[in-house]
Amino acid sequence: MLPTPSDNVDFLEATYRKIFPQDLEFRDRAVAHLEQLTMPHWALGDLMDLAVDLAGMTRSLKPQVKRKKVVVMVGDHGVTVEGVSKYPSEVTAQMVYNFVAGGAGINALARQAGADVVVVDMGCATDLSELAKPGTILSKKIGTGTQNIAHGAAMTRTHAVMAVEAGIEVANQLAPDVDVFGTGDMGIGNTTPSTAIVATLTGKSLDELTGRGTGLDDEQLDHKKKVLERILQINKPDPRDGLDVLAKVGGFEIGGIAGLIIGAAAHRKPVVVDGFISTAGAMIACKLEPFVRDYIICAHRSMEPGHGAMQEKIGCRPLLDLNLRLGEGTGAALAMNLLEAAVAILTEVATFADAGVSGPPVS
Amino acid sequence: MLPTPSDNVDFLEATYRKIFPQDLEFRDRAVAHLEQLTMPHWALGDLMDLAVDLAGMTRSLKPQVKRKKVVVMVGDHGVTVEGVSKYPSEVTAQMVYNFVAGGAGINALARQAGADVVVVDMGCATDLSELAKPGTILSKKIGTGTQNIAHGAAMTRTHAVMAVEAGIEVANQLAPDVDVFGTGDMGIGNTTPSTAIVATLTGKSLDELTGRGTGLDDEQLDHKKKVLERILQINKPDPRDGLDVLAKVGGFEIGGIAGLIIGAAAHRKPVVVDGFISTAGAMIACKLEPFVRDYIICAHRSMEPGHGAMQEKIGCRPLLDLNLRLGEGTGAALAMNLLEAAVAILTEVATFADAGVSGPPVS
């Protein structure tokens, strides 16, 4: 049994203690099997690496990947008043209704991949109780949007802990019916906190990391960089302390994503991490408990310039590179097909011996 | 009605005349629709470009992509006696039996993508009539492997024409039940003719283009380059004449792939081109009839160093980059999921107006 926040223990600490690295024996067994398949050595490249990872995560040579859920964490951001996004904050809630109606990009791509979409209100500025009460969405609302990080911390440290805990709780709640988790986000303005997170945790310059988000022009991009400079100066997040970074320059949905990833790792389930905002959550998760890295699959490389720096920092090469910049978990849904493909290679391809195919000469 | 080789016309010429560029009006209509979807402008990047291509190819805003077939063209190569591959020629036929039994990489990945596998004997050195007679595979056998191209032409010009015609016939036969074609290949030794083709058609150096195929070591790679130098010196293929290139340094399966692509274009069906050998076929097809380019989707960038030069030459950016080097159509099968995803975006996502989501400010 995994702990719950109501247990008389430190919930986060207790969850971290459930997280172990990938199993080396299952990795080795997967490698040994893949090397016998009727094809030149490692001829399916990254798919075979992925198959080994899945075996190591799930402790199985027949990893289950059929039951897939993309969890879209929703939160609003006080910093939008600074004019860092092309879209107004109201769009966050409007998009939640769009998710529920099945009309968003993530709905279309999740259907294609055979994945369910689960929407979680972590901190939308709008009252979504009419969706939460009947269970159409999950409510883990910590607050009605973060504070404006251009003036101070996004949230208290307590709220940061609560956001991560809430993400873990979502993972715990869904895990019995899930083989593979995907992360997604919705929150107008959330490339700004994500950029602040990657700047803090990599030490790279804002010039290098700051991107156009939903489509800023040159002047707006310049303004966003100036706002980000102020954010870092005012908040001085401590790069050694993941909760401090989340509290000072993060977001409720980013904390939820971090928690979901931690929870997935505690359940030894692969978690496909989407784009820039999701990977900001993954950076926080890795800071809190480095072993979660072993359960993370980076779906794609997005168009945000800071995304590559994030993936380099957590040490994960993305599967896809399709110039996506939507979020919502869309890249994660796309990549789920590749997880199925990797498992198909591991479980369905004949060996040289089975198929009576001549192998290469042993030298 | 498309012509057949028995018609009293030049079959190739008549087929070329059925090939038109993508429809610009459907492309424009697809762009106009995609720009209204509830997401930042073109936020799904390459998937949206792909959706526009599919609309332009199929003359539809609801392109059909459900019925998918990967056609694996099979041929043997006389040049294998020069020691250019790690595997013996017998493996070509052994792999055909593996395909038929469903145990190869392409079988696993086609199942994942919901695609059928169709195997065509274009020129296997082994008698496959026990598979061809009951219709388990298609037989378009032109010969029992090519001549050794290190000593002279691979085949006569007549056989080159017959190979391309056979590929078109396969496309014609399958087209009524296919929305999307994929190309695949099986033929031990076939990276050597493919390298000769790309060297001829791009003028780039063999040092730049020659790769390890199924896994040559440094010494074997060096030997393969020397054999390729001889192949080009002896044959002097004419880069202005696709049939000359195919006849002198090609292969029966490569001609079949070229024909399949031409046939797909004549039926206005998208054709997902796999790796190095398939793209050699695509280069021949584009040389014979440049408008086929508009129906080609490049599945992936393989590990063969010449693959990028091929894709650059035909002007097509690959969708995936997963360090694959198997062939068989495996990359094409993987990419078919992305075609479905592109169509899902085009047909299933709500517009700003439909969903009541606020768009960006019009400036």
Side-chain angles (χ1 to χ4, degrees):
Chain A
M1 275 295 289
L2 289 169
T4 69
S6 59
D7 289 347
N8 191 16
V9 290
D10 183 318
F11 180 52
L12 289 185
E13 268 310 315
T15 305
Y16 302 156
R17 291 181 185 199
K18 299 283 181 188
I19 301 174
F20 299 89
Q22 286 184 26
D23 186 281
L24 292 179
E25 190 193 327
F26 275 98
R27 286 184 64 89
D28 288 348
R29 287 171 62 189
V31 169
H33 178 74
L34 291 166
E35 286 180 332
Q36 291 305 312
L37 300 185
T38 44
M39 60 182 68
H41 186 259
W42 228 254
L44 287 171
D46 297 358
L47 278 190
M48 294 176 118
D49 295 341
L50 179 57
V52 174
D53 277 335
L54 292 170
M57 291 173 192
T58 61
R59 280 76 175 159
S60 170
L61 293 179
K62 295 180 193 286
Q64 296 299 312
V65 292
K66 280 285 164 208
R67 301 176 305 163
K68 301 175 282 277
K69 285 200 205 296
V70 178
V71 179
V72 185
M73 296 287 188
V74 179
D76 270 309
H77 296 270
V79 74
T80 52
V81 299
E82 304 290 335
V84 290
S85 175
K86 276 181 85 166
Y87 290 80
S89 266
E90 299 84 79
V91 169
T92 303
Q94 290 168 352
M95 285 301 296
V96 169
Y97 281 90
N98 199 16
F99 296 147
V100 166
I106 184 55
N107 302 104
L109 295 183
R111 273 192 292 270
Q112 193 282 323
D116 298 327
V117 176
V118 177
V119 180
V120 182
D121 178 6
M122 290 295 307
C124 187
T126 304
D127 180 7
L128 296 173
S129 55
E130 69 166 5
L131 298 176
K133 277 198 194 119
T136 306
I137 67 170
L138 299 179
S139 178
K140 296 284 178 182
K141 203 166 193 130
I142 314 289
T144 53
T146 54
Q147 300 299 307
N148 180 356
I149 56 177
H151 292 167
M155 62 188 91
T156 63
R157 191 176 176 97
T158 299
H159 283 163
V161 170
M162 286 171 68
V164 177
E165 286 180 342
I168 296 172
E169 286 181 281
V170 171
N172 287 348
Q173 179 180 339
L174 299 177
D177 302 315
V178 172
D179 298 319
V180 176
F181 285 100
T183 69
D185 72 286
M186 183 67 224
I188 295 299
N190 63 10
T191 63
T192 295
S194 299
T195 307
I197 289 170
V198 61
T200 302
L201 293 178
T202 66
K204 287 178 190 279
S205 75
L206 289 171
D207 269 343
E208 197 176 337
L209 299 171
T210 310
R212 294 173 193 278
T214 49
L216 301 180
D217 63 25
D218 287 351
E219 194 180 329
Q220 293 163 327
L221 176 63
D222 209 50
H223 172 68
K224 181 175 171 183
K225 280 184 201 170
K226 290 205 175 71
V227 173
L228 271 159
E229 277 166 28
R230 194 151 25 110
I231 288 167
L232 294 180
Q233 277 162 12
I234 286 179
N235 286 291
K236 297 190 177 48
D238 179 355
R240 295 161 303 179
D241 181 352
L243 288 172
D244 189 65
V245 177
L246 177 61
K248 285 182 175 160
V249 299
F252 295 128
E253 84 279 41
I254 295 171
I257 289 166
L260 186 82
I261 293 169
I262 291 167
H267 287 278
R268 304 179 177 185
K269 310 257 186 194
V271 54
V272 185
V273 172
D274 188 35
F276 190 59
I277 285 79
S278 282
T279 316
M283 291 189 90
I284 298 288
C286 288
K287 199 75 201 169
L288 295 176
E289 171 45 63
F291 285 171
V292 300
R293 165 63 192 81
D294 271 17
Y295 298 84
I296 288 173
I297 295 163
C298 283
H300 74 108
R301 171 72 47 92
S302 91
M303 287 190 78
E304 277 293 305
H307 199 203
M310 288 175 168
Q311 292 174 334
E312 204 177 286
K313 181 74 179 179
I314 63 175
C316 190
R317 206 151 40 95
L319 293 168
L320 298 165
D321 186 357
L322 293 167
N323 292 308
L324 310 180
R325 53 184 183 88
L326 178 55
E328 300 180 0
T330 46
L334 284 171
M336 284 174 169
N337 286 307
L338 295 177
L339 272 69
E340 285 196 1
V343 169
I345 297 302
L346 185 62
T347 59
E348 298 179 21
V349 178
T351 62
F352 283 110
D354 289 344
V357 172
S358 311
V362 180
S363 52
Chain B
M1 274 292 291
L2 289 169
T4 71
S6 59
D7 289 347
N8 190 19
V9 290
D10 183 317
F11 180 51
L12 289 185
E13 268 310 317
T15 305
Y16 301 156
R17 290 181 186 196
K18 299 284 180 187
I19 301 173
F20 299 89
Q22 286 184 27
D23 187 280
L24 292 180
E25 190 193 325
F26 275 97
R27 285 184 63 89
D28 288 347
R29 287 172 60 189
V31 169
H33 178 73
L34 290 167
E35 286 179 332
Q36 292 305 312
L37 300 185
T38 43
M39 60 183 68
H41 186 258
W42 227 255
L44 287 170
D46 296 359
L47 278 189
M48 295 177 118
D49 295 341
L50 179 56
V52 175
D53 278 335
L54 292 170
M57 293 176 192
T58 61
R59 280 77 177 159
S60 170
L61 293 179
K62 294 178 194 284
Q64 296 298 313
V65 291
K66 280 283 165 211
R67 300 176 306 162
K68 301 175 283 275
K69 284 198 205 299
V70 178
V71 180
V72 185
M73 297 287 189
V74 179
D76 270 308
H77 296 269
V79 74
T80 52
V81 300
E82 304 291 335
V84 290
S85 175
K86 276 180 84 166
Y87 290 80
S89 266
E90 299 85 77
V91 168
T92 303
Q94 289 167 354
M95 285 301 296
V96 170
Y97 282 89
N98 198 15
F99 296 147
V100 167
I106 184 55
N107 301 105
L109 295 184
R111 273 191 293 269
Q112 193 280 324
D116 297 327
V117 176
V118 178
V119 180
V120 183
D121 180 8
M122 290 295 305
C124 187
T126 303
D127 180 7
L128 297 173
S129 54
E130 69 166 7
L131 298 176
K133 278 196 191 119
T136 307
I137 67 171
L138 299 178
S139 180
K140 296 286 179 184
K141 204 169 194 123
I142 314 290
T144 52
T146 54
Q147 300 299 306
N148 180 355
I149 55 178
H151 293 165
M155 63 187 91
T156 64
R157 189 175 178 96
T158 300
H159 283 162
V161 170
M162 288 170 67
V164 176
E165 286 180 343
I168 296 171
E169 286 181 281
V170 170
N172 287 347
Q173 180 181 336
L174 299 177
D177 301 315
V178 172
D179 298 319
V180 176
F181 285 101
T183 71
D185 72 287
M186 183 67 224
I188 295 298
N190 65 9
T191 63
T192 295
S194 299
T195 307
I197 289 170
V198 60
T200 302
L201 293 177
T202 66
K204 287 179 190 280
S205 76
L206 289 172
D207 269 342
E208 199 175 337
L209 299 171
T210 310
R212 295 173 192 275
T214 48
L216 301 180
D217 63 25
D218 288 352
E219 196 181 327
Q220 292 164 328
L221 176 63
D222 209 52
H223 172 68
K224 181 176 172 184
K225 280 184 198 169
K226 291 204 173 72
V227 173
L228 273 159
E229 277 167 26
R230 195 147 30 105
I231 289 167
L232 295 179
Q233 277 162 14
I234 285 178
N235 286 290
K236 295 189 176 50
D238 179 354
R240 295 160 306 181
D241 181 350
L243 288 171
D244 189 66
V245 177
L246 177 61
K248 285 183 175 159
V249 300
F252 296 128
E253 83 279 39
I254 295 171
I257 289 165
L260 184 83
I261 292 169
I262 291 167
H267 288 278
R268 304 180 178 183
K269 310 256 185 194
V271 54
V272 185
V273 173
D274 187 37
F276 190 59
I277 285 79
S278 282
T279 316
M283 291 190 91
I284 299 288
C286 288
K287 200 76 202 169
L288 295 175
E289 172 42 64
F291 285 171
V292 300
R293 165 64 190 82
D294 271 17
Y295 298 84
I296 288 174
I297 294 162
C298 284
H300 74 108
R301 173 70 48 90
S302 89
M303 286 191 78
E304 277 293 304
H307 199 203
M310 288 175 168
Q311 292 174 333
E312 203 176 288
K313 181 74 179 178
I314 63 177
C316 189
R317 205 152 40 98
L319 293 168
L320 298 166
D321 187 356
L322 294 167
N323 293 307
L324 310 180
R325 53 186 184 86
L326 178 55
E328 301 180 359
T330 45
L334 283 171
M336 285 172 167
N337 287 307
L338 295 176
L339 273 70
E340 286 196 2
V343 170
I345 297 301
L346 185 61
T347 59
E348 299 178 21
V349 178
T351 62
F352 282 110
D354 289 344
V357 174
S358 312
V362 180
S363 53

PDB file of all heavy atoms in Angstrom, chain A residues 36-59:
ATOM      1  N   GLN A  36      18.509 -11.389 -30.192  1.00  0.00           N
ATOM      2  CA  GLN A  36      18.254 -12.637 -30.921  1.00  0.00           C
ATOM      3  C   GLN A  36      17.187 -12.486 -31.997  1.00  0.00           C
ATOM      4  O   GLN A  36      16.841 -13.449 -32.676  1.00  0.00           O
ATOM      5  CB  GLN A  36      17.806 -13.734 -29.933  1.00  0.00           C
ATOM      6  CG  GLN A  36      18.915 -14.186 -28.998  1.00  0.00           C
ATOM      7  CD  GLN A  36      20.139 -14.634 -29.783  1.00  0.00           C
ATOM      8  OE1 GLN A  36      20.031 -15.414 -30.735  1.00  0.00           O
ATOM      9  NE2 GLN A  36      21.307 -14.113 -29.431  1.00  0.00           N
ATOM     10  N   LEU A  37      16.610 -11.297 -32.130  1.00  0.00           N
ATOM     11  CA  LEU A  37      15.492 -11.134 -33.073  1.00  0.00           C
ATOM     12  C   LEU A  37      15.990 -11.172 -34.514  1.00  0.00           C
ATOM     13  O   LEU A  37      17.126 -10.801 -34.812  1.00  0.00           O
ATOM     14  CB  LEU A  37      14.750  -9.816 -32.804  1.00  0.00           C
ATOM     15  CG  LEU A  37      14.133  -9.679 -31.413  1.00  0.00           C
ATOM     16  CD1 LEU A  37      13.336  -8.381 -31.319  1.00  0.00           C
ATOM     17  CD2 LEU A  37      13.262 -10.879 -31.052  1.00  0.00           C
ATOM     18  N   THR A  38      15.088 -11.598 -35.403  1.00  0.00           N
ATOM     19  CA  THR A  38      15.424 -11.756 -36.826  1.00  0.00           C
ATOM     20  C   THR A  38      15.572 -10.400 -37.509  1.00  0.00           C
ATOM     21  O   THR A  38      14.714  -9.976 -38.300  1.00  0.00           O
ATOM     22  CB  THR A  38      14.326 -12.565 -37.542  1.00  0.00           C
ATOM     23  OG1 THR A  38      13.051 -12.078 -37.120  1.00  0.00           O
ATOM     24  CG2 THR A  38      14.443 -14.023 -37.219  1.00  0.00           C
ATOM     25  N   MET A  39      16.678  -9.750 -37.193  1.00  0.00           N
ATOM     26  CA  MET A  39      17.019  -8.461 -37.823  1.00  0.00           C
ATOM     27  C   MET A  39      18.471  -8.185 -37.476  1.00  0.00           C
ATOM     28  O   MET A  39      19.008  -8.773 -36.537  1.00  0.00           O
ATOM     29  CB  MET A  39      16.107  -7.352 -37.296  1.00  0.00           C
ATOM     30  CG  MET A  39      16.166  -7.121 -35.805  1.00  0.00           C
ATOM     31  SD  MET A  39      15.018  -5.824 -35.231  1.00  0.00           S
ATOM     32  CE  MET A  39      13.415  -6.574 -35.516  1.00  0.00           C
ATOM     33  N   PRO A  40      19.127  -7.317 -38.240  1.00  0.00           N
ATOM     34  CA  PRO A  40      20.487  -6.942 -37.868  1.00  0.00           C
ATOM     35  C   PRO A  40      20.513  -6.378 -36.451  1.00  0.00           C
ATOM     36  O   PRO A  40      19.492  -5.891 -35.943  1.00  0.00           O
ATOM     37  CB  PRO A  40      20.859  -5.876 -38.910  1.00  0.00           C
ATOM     38  CG  PRO A  40      19.993  -6.183 -40.088  1.00  0.00           C
ATOM     39  CD  PRO A  40      18.706  -6.678 -39.499  1.00  0.00           C
ATOM     40  N   HIS A  41      21.689  -6.445 -35.832  1.00  0.00           N
ATOM     41  CA  HIS A  41      21.811  -6.072 -34.422  1.00  0.00           C
ATOM     42  C   HIS A  41      21.304  -4.651 -34.143  1.00  0.00           C
ATOM     43  O   HIS A  41      21.782  -3.686 -34.711  1.00  0.00           O
ATOM     44  CB  HIS A  41      23.277  -6.173 -33.988  1.00  0.00           C
ATOM     45  CG  HIS A  41      23.472  -5.947 -32.524  1.00  0.00           C
ATOM     46  ND1 HIS A  41      23.926  -4.761 -32.000  1.00  0.00           N
ATOM     47  CD2 HIS A  41      23.210  -6.754 -31.465  1.00  0.00           C
ATOM     48  CE1 HIS A  41      23.963  -4.843 -30.687  1.00  0.00           C
ATOM     49  NE2 HIS A  41      23.541  -6.044 -30.325  1.00  0.00           N
ATOM     50  N   TRP A  42      20.304  -4.608 -33.245  1.00  0.00           N
ATOM     51  CA  TRP A  42      19.736  -3.323 -32.770  1.00  0.00           C
ATOM     52  C   TRP A  42      19.249  -2.456 -33.937  1.00  0.00           C
ATOM     53  O   TRP A  42      19.329  -1.228 -33.902  1.00  0.00           O
ATOM     54  CB  TRP A  42      20.751  -2.559 -31.909  1.00  0.00           C
ATOM     55  CG  TRP A  42      20.129  -2.061 -30.638  1.00  0.00           C
ATOM     56  CD1 TRP A  42      19.792  -0.765 -30.345  1.00  0.00           C
ATOM     57  CD2 TRP A  42      19.734  -2.843 -29.509  1.00  0.00           C
ATOM     58  NE1 TRP A  42      19.203  -0.716 -29.103  1.00  0.00           N
ATOM     59  CE2 TRP A  42      19.159  -1.963 -28.568  1.00  0.00           C
ATOM     60  CE3 TRP A  42      19.774  -4.209 -29.206  1.00  0.00           C
ATOM     61  CZ2 TRP A  42      18.650  -2.404 -27.349  1.00  0.00           C
ATOM     62  CZ3 TRP A  42      19.275  -4.639 -27.993  1.00  0.00           C
ATOM     63  CH2 TRP A  42      18.728  -3.752 -27.080  1.00  0.00           C
ATOM     64  N   ALA A  43      18.682  -3.131 -34.965  1.00  0.00           N
ATOM     65  CA  ALA A  43      18.307  -2.419 -36.188  1.00  0.00           C
ATOM     66  C   ALA A  43      17.090  -1.519 -35.984  1.00  0.00           C
ATOM     67  O   ALA A  43      16.794  -0.687 -36.845  1.00  0.00           O
ATOM     68  CB  ALA A  43      18.049  -3.403 -37.325  1.00  0.00           C
ATOM     69  N   LEU A  44      16.368  -1.698 -34.884  1.00  0.00           N
ATOM     70  CA  LEU A  44      15.255  -0.776 -34.635  1.00  0.00           C
ATOM     71  C   LEU A  44      15.609   0.263 -33.567  1.00  0.00           C
ATOM     72  O   LEU A  44      14.738   0.866 -32.932  1.00  0.00           O
ATOM     73  CB  LEU A  44      13.965  -1.541 -34.319  1.00  0.00           C
ATOM     74  CG  LEU A  44      13.365  -2.211 -35.576  1.00  0.00           C
ATOM     75  CD1 LEU A  44      12.219  -3.147 -35.207  1.00  0.00           C
ATOM     76  CD2 LEU A  44      12.870  -1.167 -36.587  1.00  0.00           C
ATOM     77  N   GLY A  45      16.913   0.482 -33.434  1.00  0.00           N
ATOM     78  CA  GLY A  45      17.479   1.624 -32.704  1.00  0.00           C
ATOM     79  C   GLY A  45      16.761   2.077 -31.444  1.00  0.00           C
ATOM     80  O   GLY A  45      16.661   1.347 -30.451  1.00  0.00           O
ATOM     81  N   ASP A  46      16.246   3.286 -31.499  1.00  0.00           N
ATOM     82  CA  ASP A  46      15.654   3.904 -30.318  1.00  0.00           C
ATOM     83  C   ASP A  46      14.443   3.135 -29.798  1.00  0.00           C
ATOM     84  O   ASP A  46      14.141   3.173 -28.601  1.00  0.00           O
ATOM     85  CB  ASP A  46      15.230   5.352 -30.637  1.00  0.00           C
ATOM     86  CG  ASP A  46      16.416   6.235 -30.999  1.00  0.00           C
ATOM     87  OD1 ASP A  46      17.563   5.743 -30.968  1.00  0.00           O
ATOM     88  OD2 ASP A  46      16.191   7.413 -31.318  1.00  0.00           O
ATOM     89  N   LEU A  47      13.724   2.451 -30.703  1.00  0.00           N
ATOM     90  CA  LEU A  47      12.580   1.652 -30.249  1.00  0.00           C
ATOM     91  C   LEU A  47      13.043   0.514 -29.351  1.00  0.00           C
ATOM     92  O   LEU A  47      12.332   0.124 -28.409  1.00  0.00           O
ATOM     93  CB  LEU A  47      11.850   1.026 -31.443  1.00  0.00           C
ATOM     94  CG  LEU A  47      10.861   1.853 -32.217  1.00  0.00           C
ATOM     95  CD1 LEU A  47      10.098   0.947 -33.167  1.00  0.00           C
ATOM     96  CD2 LEU A  47       9.896   2.577 -31.291  1.00  0.00           C
ATOM     97  N   MET A  48      14.220  -0.040 -29.643  1.00  0.00           N
ATOM     98  CA  MET A  48      14.749  -1.131 -28.830  1.00  0.00           C
ATOM     99  C   MET A  48      15.235  -0.600 -27.483  1.00  0.00           C
ATOM    100  O   MET A  48      15.019  -1.227 -26.446  1.00  0.00           O
ATOM    101  CB  MET A  48      15.834  -1.858 -29.611  1.00  0.00           C
ATOM    102  CG  MET A  48      15.251  -2.558 -30.835  1.00  0.00           C
ATOM    103  SD  MET A  48      16.490  -3.360 -31.875  1.00  0.00           S
ATOM    104  CE  MET A  48      15.949  -5.068 -31.757  1.00  0.00           C
ATOM    105  N   ASP A  49      15.859   0.567 -27.496  1.00  0.00           N
ATOM    106  CA  ASP A  49      16.237   1.205 -26.230  1.00  0.00           C
ATOM    107  C   ASP A  49      14.995   1.429 -25.365  1.00  0.00           C
ATOM    108  O   ASP A  49      15.018   1.192 -24.149  1.00  0.00           O
ATOM    109  CB  ASP A  49      16.900   2.572 -26.491  1.00  0.00           C
ATOM    110  CG  ASP A  49      18.220   2.457 -27.238  1.00  0.00           C
ATOM    111  OD1 ASP A  49      18.819   1.364 -27.254  1.00  0.00           O
ATOM    112  OD2 ASP A  49      18.652   3.474 -27.817  1.00  0.00           O
ATOM    113  N   LEU A  50      13.932   1.882 -26.020  1.00  0.00           N
ATOM    114  CA  LEU A  50      12.681   2.132 -25.300  1.00  0.00           C
ATOM    115  C   LEU A  50      12.114   0.831 -24.732  1.00  0.00           C
ATOM    116  O   LEU A  50      11.620   0.796 -23.592  1.00  0.00           O
ATOM    117  CB  LEU A  50      11.685   2.801 -26.262  1.00  0.00           C
ATOM    118  CG  LEU A  50      10.296   3.139 -25.753  1.00  0.00           C
ATOM    119  CD1 LEU A  50      10.352   4.043 -24.524  1.00  0.00           C
ATOM    120  CD2 LEU A  50       9.483   3.831 -26.861  1.00  0.00           C
ATOM    121  N   ALA A  51      12.198  -0.242 -25.509  1.00  0.00           N
ATOM    122  CA  ALA A  51      11.703  -1.538 -25.036  1.00  0.00           C
ATOM    123  C   ALA A  51      12.474  -1.980 -23.790  1.00  0.00           C
ATOM    124  O   ALA A  51      11.884  -2.507 -22.832  1.00  0.00           O
ATOM    125  CB  ALA A  51      11.828  -2.584 -26.144  1.00  0.00           C
ATOM    126  N   VAL A  52      13.785  -1.737 -23.780  1.00  0.00           N
ATOM    127  CA  VAL A  52      14.605  -2.101 -22.620  1.00  0.00           C
ATOM    128  C   VAL A  52      14.185  -1.272 -21.407  1.00  0.00           C
ATOM    129  O   VAL A  52      14.038  -1.793 -20.289  1.00  0.00           O
ATOM    130  CB  VAL A  52      16.104  -1.902 -22.933  1.00  0.00           C
ATOM    131  CG1 VAL A  52      16.957  -2.131 -21.692  1.00  0.00           C
ATOM    132  CG2 VAL A  52      16.537  -2.826 -24.067  1.00  0.00           C
ATOM    133  N   ASP A  53      13.968   0.021 -21.622  1.00  0.00           N
ATOM    134  CA  ASP A  53      13.500   0.884 -20.534  1.00  0.00           C
ATOM    135  C   ASP A  53      12.165   0.384 -19.972  1.00  0.00           C
ATOM    136  O   ASP A  53      11.975   0.331 -18.754  1.00  0.00           O
ATOM    137  CB  ASP A  53      13.321   2.327 -21.032  1.00  0.00           C
ATOM    138  CG  ASP A  53      14.632   3.108 -21.043  1.00  0.00           C
ATOM    139  OD1 ASP A  53      15.546   2.765 -20.264  1.00  0.00           O
ATOM    140  OD2 ASP A  53      14.738   4.061 -21.835  1.00  0.00           O
ATOM    141  N   LEU A  54      11.247   0.034 -20.858  1.00  0.00           N
ATOM    142  CA  LEU A  54       9.926  -0.402 -20.397  1.00  0.00           C
ATOM    143  C   LEU A  54      10.042  -1.696 -19.590  1.00  0.00           C
ATOM    144  O   LEU A  54       9.350  -1.870 -18.582  1.00  0.00           O
ATOM    145  CB  LEU A  54       8.982  -0.583 -21.589  1.00  0.00           C
ATOM    146  CG  LEU A  54       8.598   0.725 -22.306  1.00  0.00           C
ATOM    147  CD1 LEU A  54       7.860   0.429 -23.616  1.00  0.00           C
ATOM    148  CD2 LEU A  54       7.739   1.614 -21.406  1.00  0.00           C
ATOM    149  N   ALA A  55      10.925  -2.600 -20.026  1.00  0.00           N
ATOM    150  CA  ALA A  55      11.146  -3.839 -19.261  1.00  0.00           C
ATOM    151  C   ALA A  55      11.725  -3.509 -17.885  1.00  0.00           C
ATOM    152  O   ALA A  55      11.304  -4.077 -16.872  1.00  0.00           O
ATOM    153  CB  ALA A  55      12.081  -4.768 -20.037  1.00  0.00           C
ATOM    154  N   GLY A  56      12.672  -2.564 -17.856  1.00  0.00           N
ATOM    155  CA  GLY A  56      13.292  -2.185 -16.592  1.00  0.00           C
ATOM    156  C   GLY A  56      12.339  -1.479 -15.650  1.00  0.00           C
ATOM    157  O   GLY A  56      12.387  -1.656 -14.428  1.00  0.00           O
ATOM    158  N   MET A  57      11.443  -0.664 -16.197  1.00  0.00           N
ATOM    159  CA  MET A  57      10.457   0.044 -15.375  1.00  0.00           C
ATOM    160  C   MET A  57       9.418  -0.915 -14.797  1.00  0.00           C
ATOM    161  O   MET A  57       9.076  -0.835 -13.619  1.00  0.00           O
ATOM    162  CB  MET A  57       9.689   1.079 -16.221  1.00  0.00           C
ATOM    163  CG  MET A  57      10.505   2.270 -16.689  1.00  0.00           C
ATOM    164  SD  MET A  57       9.495   3.285 -17.837  1.00  0.00           S
ATOM    165  CE  MET A  57      10.755   4.362 -18.513  1.00  0.00           C
ATOM    166  N   THR A  58       8.907  -1.780 -15.669  1.00  0.00           N
ATOM    167  CA  THR A  58       7.749  -2.599 -15.276  1.00  0.00           C
ATOM    168  C   THR A  58       8.143  -3.945 -14.684  1.00  0.00           C
ATOM    169  O   THR A  58       7.283  -4.686 -14.233  1.00  0.00           O
ATOM    170  CB  THR A  58       6.842  -2.862 -16.500  1.00  0.00           C
ATOM    171  OG1 THR A  58       7.604  -3.588 -17.480  1.00  0.00           O
ATOM    172  CG2 THR A  58       6.343  -1.561 -17.111  1.00  0.00           C
ATOM    173  N   ARG A  59       9.455  -4.257 -14.711  1.00  0.00           N
ATOM    174  CA  ARG A  59       9.917  -5.576 -14.237  1.00  0.00           C
ATOM    175  C   ARG A  59       9.210  -6.682 -14.998  1.00  0.00           C
ATOM    176  O   ARG A  59       8.660  -7.621 -14.410  1.00  0.00           O
ATOM    177  CB  ARG A  59       9.637  -5.758 -12.737  1.00  0.00           C
ATOM    178  CG  ARG A  59      10.630  -5.098 -11.802  1.00  0.00           C
ATOM    179  CD  ARG A  59      10.454  -3.624 -11.695  1.00  0.00           C
ATOM    180  NE  ARG A  59      11.364  -3.051 -10.687  1.00  0.00           N
ATOM    181  CZ  ARG A  59      11.724  -1.778 -10.655  1.00  0.00           C
ATOM    182  NH1 ARG A  59      11.273  -0.922 -11.558  1.00  0.00           N
ATOM    183  NH2 ARG A  59      12.537  -1.342  -9.729  1.00  0.00           N
TER     184      ARG A  59
END
